[in-house]
Amino acid sequence: MSELFSLAGDNLLSPIILSFALGLFAALARSDLSIPEAVAKGLSIYLLFAIGFKGGASVADYGFDARLGFSLLAGVILSALLPLIAFALLRLMTGLSRLDAAAVAAHYGSISIVTFVAATSVLEGRGISSEGYMVAVAAAMEAPAILSALWLVTRGSGGDGRGMDSKLMREIMLNGSIVLLVGAFVIGWATGEDGLAEISSFIVAPFKGVLCLFLLDMGLVAGRGLRGGSGILRPGVLAFGVLMPLIGSGFGLAVGAMLGLSLGGVALLMVLSASASYIAVPAAMRVALPEANPSIYLTLSLGVTFPFNLTLGIPLYIAIAQTVIGG
Amino acid sequence: MQTHRAKRVEITIEAVMQSRLTEALQKAGVKGYTILPVYGGSGRSGEWNRSGQISRAHGMVQVICIIREERLDAMLEAAFAVVERHIGVVSVVDCNVLRAERF
């Protein structure tokens, strides 16, 4: 327990979390602080490229094994399964309609890549290594949850035309974040440690500083979302935003342990299973389920679950993984 | 100078629907359109501002096209099929253009 408090304390006082807190405070206090849209986009491109490249270089160094394939498969299954649990929980705990519950559930099966990046940064800071291919697992977990949510809706409505057309499927599978993450992973894998050494002064040394600025922006966005959407956060909905990550992380822990992943790998799978999407899935929901209320799913995933995972969730998942896996 | 009557159609819609809308407009015979970013606004779905969004997926755009009056109904039907279930506004105003053959 003391290890958990120590980890949580270190995490809360890290520049990354304090930057996020600054953004959150500024938005809630109605400050005019803002990160220009193009700068925020540039920061996210940098982070996705850096994390993908480093993951690929790590795999090149370590090599492929059967566990990689099983981990990808497990990621897909987790992403497809978690929305079903989230949906049942939402129907039980909240008064959300079937449509809104399915839309929210999709977010909780998919992942937040920023939470993943923050978790890798915390692990690196504590000297805990992880499988480089977890980046690929993160990419594999983006889309299946969307299919599960659409299935939940069409099953309930008897199939009224809502669903996935080929254009939407292409937009999801080839969205910029996935292409960049997987592309950088492949470049990192192809060029290996030599390639990483060539550009490490760009993608390794400044990484945490860039992450701080990006999380400052995320804090601003989360704060604005909370300010605007606080009216829809009834106690049941709010409780779901904290409970579901804990349930998801439990599944991540069980699957990671079954796969025989390292301590860092298990912790990252827990983080992925606990996190909720706020980029890819909301866009897909606006196209496929436009009647679902975006204020509910965006406020929950960005205003409740993201800050929870960032501040308390990540140290908690690492501590639990350390207790179960050892190390 | 000689001018010709035409219709100016302004469609404010979610950015994620932009390509679907412009494809439908082209199929309906629209020869050209202009797309503008929307900074923010307020309506039935509440207040909205571009700076509060984390990606273009949550933004809005405005698609403007000018067409001949006789093409208006077909164009509106095509547009409505796309925007019907989504947040947005469709408005039509009279206008005059100098070169009618372009519309």
Side-chain angles (χ1 to χ4, degrees):
Chain A
M1 189 56 82
S2 62
E3 172 72 8
L4 171 61
F5 285 126
S6 158
L7 204 58
D10 289 349
N11 189 50
L12 287 173
L13 294 176
S14 69
I16 294 169
I17 303 301
L18 291 176
S19 300
F20 177 78
L22 173 62
L24 198 65
F25 166 78
L28 292 175
R30 297 175 188 269
S31 161
D32 65 354
L33 174 64
S34 68
I35 304 286
E37 195 179 334
V39 173
K41 179 79 179 164
L43 295 176
S44 82
I45 288 173
Y46 170 86
L47 291 172
L48 287 168
F49 182 81
I51 199 80
F53 194 102
K54 285 191 281 187
S58 165
V59 168
D61 188 39
Y62 174 78
F64 283 102
D65 60 16
R67 201 172 289 152
L68 188 157
F70 286 122
S71 299
L72 286 173
L73 182 65
V76 169
I77 293 170
L78 274 172
S79 176
L81 174 74
L82 287 172
L84 308 183
I85 296 162
F87 180 77
L89 210 57
L90 281 161
R91 298 288 279 170
L92 200 69
M93 292 174 62
T94 70
L96 291 184
S97 68
R98 186 177 187 88
L99 195 65
D100 283 330
V104 172
H107 291 69
Y108 284 80
S110 188
I111 59 117
S112 150
I113 198 68
V114 183
T115 313
F116 176 80
V117 170
T120 56
S121 181
V122 173
L123 287 172
E124 279 173 15
R126 299 187 69 84
I128 301 172
S129 61
S130 59
E131 289 79 358
Y133 55 73
M134 291 309 291
V135 172
V137 176
M141 289 179 75
E142 281 262 24
I146 299 168
L147 296 173
S148 292
L150 295 182
W151 176 76
L152 283 167
V153 172
T154 49
R155 192 178 67 107
S157 60
D160 61 353
R162 291 188 184 100
M164 182 81 75
D165 57 30
S166 60
K167 186 176 170 69
L168 178 58
M169 178 64 97
R170 185 180 57 76
E171 285 172 356
I172 294 166
M173 300 305 288
L174 292 177
N175 87 64
S177 301
I178 292 184
V179 169
L180 182 58
L181 192 65
V182 175
F185 178 85
V186 171
I187 296 171
W189 169 70
T191 57
E193 289 297 320
D194 291 342
L196 182 61
E198 276 183 46
I199 58 170
S200 67
S201 59
F202 177 67
I203 67 165
V204 178
F207 185 81
K208 278 196 177 176
V210 174
L211 184 57
C212 284
L213 278 182
F214 189 71
L215 282 172
L216 172 69
D217 185 47
M218 291 297 294
L220 286 166
V221 174
R224 289 187 197 115
L226 272 177
R227 226 175 54 206
S230 54
I232 56 105
L233 290 181
R234 296 183 200 129
V237 177
L238 195 64
F240 171 84
V242 175
L243 183 61
M244 189 57 211
L246 298 174
I247 294 172
S249 70
F251 277 87
L253 173 68
V255 172
M258 273 196 296
L259 288 168
L261 296 178
S262 67
L263 167 62
V266 170
L268 286 180
L269 193 59
M270 290 174 78
V271 168
L272 287 173
S273 305
S275 68
S277 170
Y278 40 77
I279 297 177
V281 179
M285 290 300 108
R286 288 313 303 150
V287 175
L289 303 176
E291 296 88 352
N293 186 349
S295 300
I296 299 173
Y297 52 70
L298 275 177
T299 309
L300 252 184
S301 66
L302 194 57
V304 179
T305 300
F306 178 68
F308 170 75
N309 277 332
L310 205 58
T311 52
L312 300 174
I314 290 173
L316 179 68
Y317 308 143
I318 293 173
I320 293 172
Q322 275 176 326
T323 306
V324 175
I325 306 298
Chain B
M1 185 173 280
Q2 171 77 42
T3 61
H4 308 273
R5 286 167 64 94
K7 295 287 184 183
R8 176 185 160 107
V9 182
E10 297 174 354
I11 305 170
T12 306
I13 192 169
E14 293 167 277
V16 288
M17 298 304 293
Q18 178 194 307
S19 63
R20 288 169 174 80
L21 175 63
T22 52
E23 277 172 22
L25 293 180
Q26 284 174 324
K27 279 183 190 164
V30 172
K31 290 182 178 175
Y33 52 81
T34 303
I35 300 170
L36 303 175
V38 175
Y39 182 74
S42 181
R44 276 177 51 188
S45 306
E47 202 172 324
W48 172 86
N49 193 300
R50 187 186 182 92
S51 66
Q53 313 303 314
I54 49 171
S55 81
R56 186 178 172 279
H58 311 297
M60 304 280 288
V61 293
Q62 189 172 60
V63 179
I64 300 170
C65 55
I66 295 172
I67 57 166
R68 293 182 194 183
E69 286 180 291
E70 61 268 26
R71 288 187 178 161
L72 181 64
D73 284 345
M75 182 256 159
L76 286 179
E77 269 179 37
F80 191 67
V82 178
V83 304
E84 187 184 3
R85 293 166 60 205
H86 291 266
I87 297 169
V89 176
V90 182
S91 63
V92 183
V93 292
D94 293 323
C95 67
N96 290 292
V97 295
L98 295 181
R99 295 171 288 191
E101 73 279 4
R102 297 199 171 194
F103 301 94

